[in-house]
Amino acid sequence: MCASTTKMWFLRILFAFILVVRVKGVVKNSQDCNIPAIYNFGDSNSDTGGSSAAFSPAGPPTGETYFGIPTGRASDGRLIIDFIAESLGLPFLSAYLNSIKANFEYGANFATGGATIRRLNESWFQHGVSPFSLDVQVEQFDQFKTRTTYFYTQDKSNLPNPDDFSKALYIIDIGQNDLGACFRSLTNPQCIATFPDIIQDFATAVQKLYDKGARAFWIHNTGPFGCLPISTTNHPNPEPGYFDEIGCRKDQNDVAIEFNKQLKDKIIQLRTELSDAALTHVDMYAAKHQLISNAKNQGFEDALSYCCGYHKNGVDIWCGNTGTVNGTVVSADSCPDPSKVISWDAVHYTDAANYWIANHIIDGSFSDPPVSISQACSKSINM
Ligand SMILES: *[C@@H]1O[C@H](CO)[C@@H](O)[C@H](O)[C@H]1NC(C)=O
Ligand SMILES: *[C@@H]1O[C@H](CO)[C@@H](O)[C@H](O)[C@H]1NC(C)=O
């Protein structure tokens, strides 16, 4: 009897100990959402193969650092969305448009390179704008949800559990091509005048996803457009003040900042309208700007260099292509060490830069409210 009492006490103490450890763990992760799936919407910054599946695929040297083959990602390796998926314990997202080896068990990616928030007409397609604008991506999601829910009852393989749509994280990273199209066709003040309509289209997309059951949103604002090497090259004699202290184009960054301000105001408004939604705003501009301004201390070489492509004296030969410059054939190959360069192809970021950015945003350092991505469902913190 004595022995059994001792044993009971031992077990009680052990149990209490386990409970304390567990409670401690629970407190630390009190808002952990156990996100079962990701639905992603956006442009080439998060396209994991959609554009390549729909149109002419991106060739080598894209993918060389991590995948070893082109995967349709505009990078030498992984994108921020890949690191996000990894941090949530989920596999890389399959592109909705990709019919080869796609697995939608843990979500789907509707992003396509060149996508805009605003639907632009076909005269823009020759400039790389995607016909899969944000409103189309939301339609595709609607069809995805309806059809997978139907087929799940027959065969679950590679399909998401319909119960997971309301628990999934809905990530949006789009706007860069709306700015690009603006800069190509309008003056900066004219551009800014179009923003209220563009931001309204964005809000409509969020509202539609909410109506389809989306609850947790993780929204990236747009990066410092004027720091893309394609924006900073080909300006041999800039007037004073044209570039900021890092060498980024100040006018384009100012337009991006105005866009982001209007986006953030709209997200704050949406929080009151979509009462059951958790809307986390992520200041991607600040994260990317922090990396570019501290390139050297963060292990990168020149802040505004790029790894692959030739962009000089008004000649643009894009990464992986070959062209002729003054009678000489130039192959736009990749640099010897992409891990030391922030920009992959003068527009998109390298695997190493994406890793840095993802690591800095995942923990909530750039989020409003300041929640980490694993807690981005927390409505309570959101209010
Ligand atoms: C397409 O849109 C642009 C403005 O973005 C406009 O100037 C042009 O006329 C439109 N083209 C067609 C074919 O509708
Ligand atoms: C071609 O060569 C001329 C003369 O050296 C030079 O001025 C010009 O910038 C070169 N063009 C390109 C695209 O490099």
Side-chain angles (χ1 to χ4, degrees):
M1 189 186 162
C2 192
S4 98
T5 310
T6 309
K7 197 176 159 200
M8 214 176 81
W9 274 106
F10 175 74
L11 283 176
R12 273 192 190 163
I13 290 163
L14 183 68
F15 188 66
F17 179 70
I18 289 168
L19 206 68
V20 166
V21 170
R22 261 203 74 92
V23 165
K24 232 182 132 198
V26 169
V27 168
K28 187 164 160 273
N29 302 308
S30 59
Q31 306 290 337
D32 254 14
C33 306
N34 296 318
I35 292 162
I38 298 172
Y39 291 98
N40 183 70
F41 304 83
D43 55 30
S44 54
N45 287 308
S46 61
D47 180 354
T48 55
S51 195
S52 273
F55 307 112
S56 45
T62 65
E64 63 174 15
T65 298
Y66 185 78
F67 298 98
I69 54 161
T71 63
R73 287 166 175 81
S75 178
D76 58 317
R78 291 155 292 183
L79 306 181
I80 293 165
I81 186 69
D82 295 316
F83 294 112
I84 286 178
E86 198 173 71
S87 81
L88 294 173
L90 301 173
F92 295 159
L93 288 186
S94 289
Y96 169 70
L97 294 170
N98 196 354
S99 45
I100 299 163
K101 285 202 70 133
N103 179 4
F104 301 118
E105 227 179 304
Y106 305 98
N109 190 357
F110 299 88
T112 60
T116 47
I117 295 169
R118 220 177 186 187
R119 195 187 290 200
L120 296 173
N121 66 30
E122 62 275 15
S123 68
W124 282 99
F125 299 164
Q126 61 179 306
H127 300 299
V129 167
S130 163
F132 305 110
S133 47
L134 183 58
D135 58 324
V136 177
Q137 293 180 24
V138 170
E139 289 296 323
Q140 291 176 333
F141 168 76
D142 187 24
Q143 168 151 211
F144 177 91
K145 188 183 174 203
T146 308
R147 288 172 62 83
T148 58
T149 300
Y150 173 76
F151 287 113
Y152 191 80
T153 60
Q154 303 170 9
D155 177 5
K156 297 176 171 49
S157 53
N158 296 342
L159 298 182
N161 184 332
D163 293 342
D164 289 347
F165 283 108
S166 60
K167 302 174 203 148
L169 187 63
Y170 292 75
I171 303 179
I172 312 179
D173 185 328
I174 196 164
Q176 186 170 308
N177 296 307
D178 294 272
L179 295 189
C182 240
F183 292 140
R184 183 182 274 278
S185 60
L186 302 172
T187 65
N188 290 352
Q190 286 171 333
C191 256
I192 289 170
T194 67
F195 289 170
D197 286 346
I198 296 176
I199 299 293
Q200 188 48 50
D201 288 348
F202 183 91
T204 302
V206 172
Q207 171 83 55
K208 283 193 174 158
L209 291 171
Y210 182 83
D211 292 345
K212 310 273 174 235
R215 287 298 175 265
F217 293 88
W218 178 266
I219 299 170
H220 297 168
N221 70 6
T222 196
F225 198 105
C227 299
L228 300 176
I230 198 66
S231 284
T232 61
T233 56
N234 286 329
H235 298 284
N237 299 303
E239 64 267 29
Y242 190 76
F243 293 120
D244 68 11
E245 62 290 352
I246 329 172
C248 304
R249 264 189 75 169
K250 205 174 169 320
D251 63 323
Q252 291 189 337
N253 276 354
D254 287 346
V255 173
I257 287 167
E258 174 59 26
F259 179 89
N260 285 338
K261 184 188 169 295
Q262 294 191 25
L263 178 72
K264 186 159 188 195
D265 288 347
K266 184 59 80 176
I267 290 170
I268 291 166
Q269 185 192 329
L270 283 169
R271 283 189 190 134
T272 64
E273 292 170 10
L274 312 179
S275 52
D276 290 332
L279 291 143
T280 307
H281 169 275
V282 183
D283 194 352
M284 195 53 99
Y285 183 105
K288 288 178 173 174
H289 200 267
Q290 193 177 96
L291 169 62
I292 295 163
S293 2
N294 295 294
K296 295 235 159 80
N297 337 334
Q298 299 301 323
F300 294 90
E301 288 161 4
D302 184 42
L304 299 174
S305 64
Y306 49 90
C307 179
C308 186
Y310 178 99
H311 305 277
K312 271 187 212 138
N313 303 321
V315 177
D316 289 310
I317 304 170
W318 291 94
C319 179
N321 292 317
T322 300
T324 309
V325 181
N326 269 351
T328 306
V329 174
V330 172
S331 293
D333 298 327
S334 64
C335 58
D337 189 358
S339 73
K340 295 273 182 291
V341 185
I342 293 174
S343 181
W344 164 242
D345 59 0
V347 175
H348 307 97
Y349 291 75
T350 56
D351 181 275
N354 284 328
Y355 177 72
W356 189 99
I357 298 161
N359 263 339
H360 283 75
I361 61 158
I362 279 169
D363 68 0
S365 301
F366 290 90
S367 304
D368 170 66
V371 291
S372 72
I373 198 155
S374 62
Q375 303 175 348
C377 65
S378 312
K379 175 70 185 134
S380 52
I381 293 182
N382 233 304
M383 287 306 288

